[in-house]
């Protein structure tokens, strides 16, 4: 068992309320329950010795591993190829009434041998509350009960598995021949809850069939039939796995504390719902035909707007917990060493109280992408939306921290102005299309004032490019969205020269940096890799601007940086490694957007 496998060397399984990472060695080294943002039960990814894990491995120097998903599902298969046989571990989490919040979740791990004989080693070492709490163990030959603070974890086995005590943990050696199977199922629930029913082969088969069937049925609802079917489907499944079904709120990633630079301090908790990320995620799913997810998120966002309860006093704040709680106090877990020594490990997120004005653009864009106004929440929803835009007419022109949540002081960020323009533009369209009452004169005047301001102050005559913030010469890849939202035409001379400047300064072999921290200090030490969201936005912008061949080449190259099962983290390091929290919704939503834009342009040019 490796101390720290590469960040990208993992697959993801989940049940739409929580999720787990499984390394290609067969180790569950990240799992929080009962929700994405709950304390961890297994966190070896952040501290190999203290964090806890659930491993089913095959030991030996001559073992080769392979990992794959069953096609169009979230069922993960880890294969172990040895001279004496081939074994597999099939991992999945049953999806049962996902819209109903529950504190009971099951992780099913099935061992089977497809050739010869294989000797599996099982080790279950839970560490409750981010490894801050002790637990007790009640052990029987085929089951173990781990009792933690407010949480119980039951490990049940089926087949030739005999659990043995290993201090307050358990282990087992499982030897199987060709055609034989065994299983280990972990059930996590609240303390004092009913223990799970005994395992049966029939029950395990039903769980497997139901889980596979759920994902097949869900994916059939989509309408994507383009050139990159497998990658787009995997990204869609990933965005679905990152969505908390009881509220419809997507998280940015399921992990906390994974570094943007090994040994650096850019280690954040992404298990929350950013208005920006979630809005763009739902737009990506909507573009594929998944309307129910988009409407569920709109209801969640509308509820946040109606509640008006934020830590900042603004109508919306940049992020919330998945249940809408606006309080995300940041703390460091000093007892954990961090991934490969990358400390500090942070939980919570201190950026929650930042001012980022762009969220109003992304939020309004998400609320207004509907063919039926009823899905915006009817008349009351319209009043809330129009009230927000009325408020924004007098509050848009302020310095803020910007999309990248810099901690180096507020600036007049061009992207923030761009998305405020988008908020008014989409609101005006909606009012016209559905004949709803609105201060159209005020909204229009504000929209036009923003455009004039950006063209005047966000444009650098010297750089011949739109810049990160007023008064600077720094470029920013977030502005790749300018043509996508309609602020500039994709063939506008100002936009084409901006794209040229970005290609020269921010693009490295088709990979794109967000900005240059040396030129625009962000208040943090260290550097970071190329930002995969921006790399896919670059593809989108190239395609829209008529540079289709270059766009397709950049897209195809970017796809080679996906991990072995098609997943992306936040960033790509200098040798192609995945960096940052994993898997990252931002990256997968941008992949979908780039594929859709490329398909559209290729269809047009190939007619």
């Amino acid at each position: 068992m490796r101390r720290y496998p590469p960040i990208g060397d993992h697959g993801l399984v989940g049940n739409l309320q929580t999720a787990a990472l499984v390394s290609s060695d067969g180790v569950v080294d990240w799992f929080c329950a009962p929700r994405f943002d709950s304390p961890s039960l297994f966190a070896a990814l952040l501290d190999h010795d203290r964090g806890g894990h659930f491993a089913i491995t095959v030991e030996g120097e001559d073992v080769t591993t392979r990992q794959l998903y069953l096609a169009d599902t979230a069922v993960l298969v880890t294969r172990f190829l040895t001279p004496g046989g081939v074994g597999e571990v099939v991992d999945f989490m049953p999806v049962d009434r996902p819209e109903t919040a529950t504190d009971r979740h099951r992780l099913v791990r099935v061992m089977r041998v497809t050739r010869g004989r294989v000797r599996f080693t099982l080790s279950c070492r839970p560490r409750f509350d981010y490894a801050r709490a002790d637990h007790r163990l009640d052990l029987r030959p085929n089951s173990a009960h781990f009792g933690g603070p407010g949480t119980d974890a039951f490990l049940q086995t089926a087949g030739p598995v005999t659990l043995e005590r290993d201090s307050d943990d358990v282990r087992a050696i499982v030897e199987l021949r060709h055609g034989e199977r065994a299983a280990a199922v972990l059930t996590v629930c609240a303390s004092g809850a009913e223990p799970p029913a005994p395992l049966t082969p029939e029950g395990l088969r039903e769980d497997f069939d139901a889980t596979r069937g759920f994902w097949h049925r869900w994916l059939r609802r989509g309408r994507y039939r383009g050139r990159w079917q497998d990658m787009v489907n995997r990204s869609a499944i990933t965005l679905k796995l990152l969505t908390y079904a009881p509220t419809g709120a997507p998280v940015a990633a399921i992990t906390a504390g994974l570094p943007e630079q090994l040994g650096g301090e850019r280690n954040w908790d992404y298990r929350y719902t950013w208005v920006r990320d979630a809005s763009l995620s739902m737009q990506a799913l909507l573009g594929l035909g998944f309307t129910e997810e988009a409407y569920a998120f709109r209801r969640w966002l509308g509820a946040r707007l109606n509640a008006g309860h934020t830590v900042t006093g603004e109508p919306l704040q940049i992020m919330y917990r998945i249940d809408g709680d606006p309080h995300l106090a940041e703390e460091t877990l000093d007892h954990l060493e961090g991934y490969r020594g990358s400390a500090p490990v942070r939980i919570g997120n201190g950026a929650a109280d930042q001012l980022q004005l762009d969220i109003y653009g992304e939020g309004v864009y998400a609320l207004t992408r509907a063919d039926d106004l009823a899905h915006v929440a009817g008349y009351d929803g319209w009043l809330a939306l129009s009230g927000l835009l009325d408020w924004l007419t007098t509050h848009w022109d302020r310095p803020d921290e910007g999309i990248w949540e810099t901690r180096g002081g507020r600036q007049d960020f061009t992207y923030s102005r761009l998305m405020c323009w988008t908020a008014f533009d989409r609101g005006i369209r909606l009012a016209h299309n559905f004949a709803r009452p609105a201060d159209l004169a005020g909204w229009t005047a504000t929209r036009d004032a923003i455009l004039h301001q950006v063209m005047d102050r966000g444009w650098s005559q010297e750089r011949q490019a739109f810049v990160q913030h007023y008064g600077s010469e720094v470029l920013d890849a977030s502005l790749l969205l300018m043509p996508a939202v309609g602020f500039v035409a994709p063939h506008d001379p100002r936009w084409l020269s901006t794209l040229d400047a970005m290609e020269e300064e921010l693009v490295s072999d088709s990979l794109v940096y967000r900005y240059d921290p040396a030129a625009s200090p962000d208040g943090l030490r260290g550097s970071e890799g190329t930002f995969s969201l921006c790399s896919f936005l670059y593809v989108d912008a190239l395609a829209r601007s008529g540079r289709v061949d270059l766009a397709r080449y950049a897209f195809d190259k970017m796809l080679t940086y996906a991990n072995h099962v098609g997943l992306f983290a936040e960033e790509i390091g200098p040798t192609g490694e995945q960096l940052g929290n994993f898997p990252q919704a931002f990256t997968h939503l941008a992949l979908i957007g780039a594929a859709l834009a490329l398909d559209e342009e290729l269809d047009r040019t190939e007619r």
Side-chain angles (χ1 to χ4, degrees):
M1 177 177 168
R2 292 172 293 176
R3 285 188 63 81
Y4 290 105
I7 290 171
D9 198 19
H10 291 83
L12 172 72
V13 296
N15 65 357
L16 312 186
Q17 296 192 17
T18 186
L21 292 182
V22 186
S23 76
S24 66
D25 297 329
V27 180
V28 178
D29 52 15
W30 182 259
F31 178 53
C32 299
R35 308 189 323 187
F36 297 113
D37 56 355
S38 298
S40 64
L41 184 66
F42 304 122
L45 199 55
L46 295 180
D47 194 307
H48 174 83
D49 297 323
R50 301 182 183 90
H53 66 254
F54 180 11
I56 300 179
T57 60
V58 175
E59 308 296 334
E61 295 182 359
D62 296 327
V63 179
T64 300
T65 63
R66 295 287 186 269
Q67 201 171 52
L68 69 151
Y69 280 111
L70 294 187
D72 294 338
T73 76
V75 178
L76 188 69
V77 180
T78 306
R79 308 187 72 224
F80 301 91
L81 292 82
T82 77
V86 175
E88 296 180 342
V89 176
V90 180
D91 286 303
F92 62 94
M93 295 185 70
V95 183
D96 183 22
R97 297 189 297 275
E99 290 79 16
T100 302
T102 179
D103 58 17
R104 181 179 290 263
H105 302 283
R106 289 186 299 149
L107 174 61
V108 180
R109 315 200 70 191
V110 177
M111 294 161 273
R112 62 191 186 192
V113 171
T114 59
R115 177 176 64 80
R117 178 186 298 180
V118 175
R119 187 172 188 257
F120 296 93
T121 299
L122 182 154
S123 172
C124 188
R125 302 170 58 86
R127 296 293 182 266
F128 293 83
D129 189 26
Y130 304 110
R132 293 183 294 194
D134 295 329
H135 66 267
R136 64 187 184 279
L137 171 64
D138 179 14
L139 178 63
R140 299 181 182 182
N142 297 108
S143 67
H145 173 202
F146 303 95
T151 304
D152 285 339
F154 294 90
L155 179 64
Q156 299 171 283
T157 64
V161 183
T162 300
L163 297 175
E164 299 176 354
R165 179 181 287 271
D166 180 13
S167 185
D168 288 331
D169 307 313
V170 298
R171 69 188 310 274
I173 302 298
V174 185
E175 294 197 29
L176 300 177
R177 298 173 182 267
H178 171 69
E180 292 182 333
R181 296 170 181 253
V185 178
L186 185 75
T187 302
V188 182
C189 55
S191 294
E194 283 291 321
L199 299 182
T200 66
E202 297 77 16
L204 289 169
R205 168 54 67 177
E206 289 174 3
D207 286 338
F208 173 81
D209 289 342
T211 303
R212 182 176 58 179
F214 170 86
W215 289 106
H216 284 167
R217 289 190 303 274
W218 181 78
L219 204 57
R220 282 198 298 269
R221 288 170 34 207
R223 61 171 179 253
Y224 181 76
R225 301 295 182 269
R227 295 165 177 80
W228 294 278
Q229 191 85 45
D230 289 344
M231 289 302 296
V232 169
N233 284 353
R234 181 52 52 197
S235 289
I237 290 173
T238 302
L239 293 182
K240 180 70 169 174
L241 282 168
L242 295 176
T243 301
Y244 184 67
T247 64
V251 296
I254 72 159
T255 56
L258 292 181
E260 298 176 21
Q261 178 190 31
L262 290 181
E265 66 170 333
R266 300 167 187 261
N267 317 316
W268 315 111
D269 188 347
Y270 277 13
R271 299 170 299 151
Y272 308 113
T273 300
W274 272 254
V275 170
R276 173 192 312 112
D277 303 41
S279 297
L280 296 175
S281 292
M282 290 305 103
Q283 290 175 44
L285 288 177
L286 191 60
L288 299 177
F290 296 104
T291 56
E292 290 182 10
E293 289 72 19
Y295 295 151
F297 172 67
R298 287 179 182 138
R299 289 191 293 271
W300 180 90
L301 183 58
R304 306 287 72 72
L305 188 58
N306 287 327
H309 178 51
T310 64
V311 297
T312 60
E314 300 277 314
L316 288 174
Q317 65 184 50
I318 68 169
M319 74 181 90
Y320 300 82
R321 292 188 180 274
I322 50 181
D323 59 2
D325 185 345
H327 300 285
L328 291 86
E330 186 173 291
E331 60 178 306
T332 60
L333 302 179
D334 294 328
H335 64 290
L336 299 180
E337 71 171 6
Y339 177 79
R340 297 189 181 182
S342 300
V345 173
R346 297 182 178 91
I347 56 173
N349 201 304
D353 62 357
Q354 286 191 356
L355 177 65
Q356 296 175 24
L357 291 166
D358 68 282
I359 65 170
Y360 296 108
E362 289 110 358
V364 172
Y365 196 18
L367 287 170
T368 56
R369 282 196 63 185
D371 296 326
D372 182 352
L373 186 61
H375 289 302
V376 185
Y379 177 69
D380 292 335
W382 174 255
L383 290 181
L385 178 61
S386 61
L388 173 66
L389 290 173
D390 290 342
W391 174 88
L392 194 59
T393 59
T394 57
H395 291 83
W396 65 270
D397 195 9
R398 293 179 288 167
D400 67 350
E401 275 87 4
I403 179 176
W404 307 128
E405 298 176 359
T406 59
R407 302 191 179 193
R410 293 180 175 179
Q411 300 285 350
D412 290 308
F413 283 101
T414 305
Y415 179 79
S416 298
R417 302 303 199 275
L418 166 69
M419 295 313 296
C420 286
W421 177 92
T422 302
F424 288 109
D425 180 70
R426 290 339 186 248
I428 291 166
R429 294 187 194 187
L430 198 66
H432 275 302
N433 291 343
F434 294 100
R436 288 299 186 263
D439 179 15
L440 288 175
W443 295 1
T444 302
T446 304
R447 180 197 63 185
D448 295 347
I450 298 172
L451 187 143
H452 287 307
Q453 187 189 86
V454 170
M455 291 297 184
D456 179 37
R457 301 178 62 194
W459 170 260
S460 167
Q461 194 67 29
E462 180 178 342
R463 297 297 307 270
Q464 287 292 292
F466 292 103
V467 292
Q468 184 181 64
H469 57 81
Y470 299 167
S472 78
E473 300 296 322
V474 177
L475 302 180
D476 192 317
S478 65
L479 298 179
L480 287 164
L481 278 169
M482 278 184 147
V485 299
F487 186 87
V488 295
H491 298 282
D492 186 299
R494 287 196 181 200
W495 171 247
L496 293 177
S497 63
T498 298
L499 191 56
D500 290 339
M502 289 187 183
E503 288 173 350
E504 181 178 343
E505 183 170 306
L506 299 182
V507 180
S508 174
D509 191 30
S510 299
L511 300 176
V512 182
Y513 291 93
R514 294 189 292 182
Y515 56 92
D516 180 2
S520 178
D522 56 13
L524 298 167
R525 296 188 302 274
S527 61
E528 61 183 20
T530 57
F531 211 71
S532 296
L533 162 75
C534 300
S535 298
F536 284 119
L537 292 182
Y538 173 59
V539 171
D540 188 306
L542 287 173
R544 292 175 187 272
S545 300
R547 304 176 183 182
V548 181
D549 290 340
L550 181 57
R552 184 165 192 173
Y553 183 49
F555 188 65
D556 287 341
K557 283 203 291 186
M558 188 61 196
L559 295 184
T560 68
Y561 292 100
N563 81 345
H564 56 289
V565 290
L567 302 182
F568 286 90
E570 185 176 26
E571 300 180 10
I572 302 295
T575 58
E577 71 274 19
Q578 306 259 10
L579 292 173
N581 284 305
F582 177 89
Q584 180 81 359
F586 243 171
T587 306
H588 287 278
L589 70 88
L591 184 157
I592 292 170
L596 291 173
L598 254 181
D599 276 321
E600 181 178 348
E601 293 301 321
L602 287 168
D603 288 345
R604 181 179 295 116
T605 59
E606 292 172 0
R607 286 185 187 135

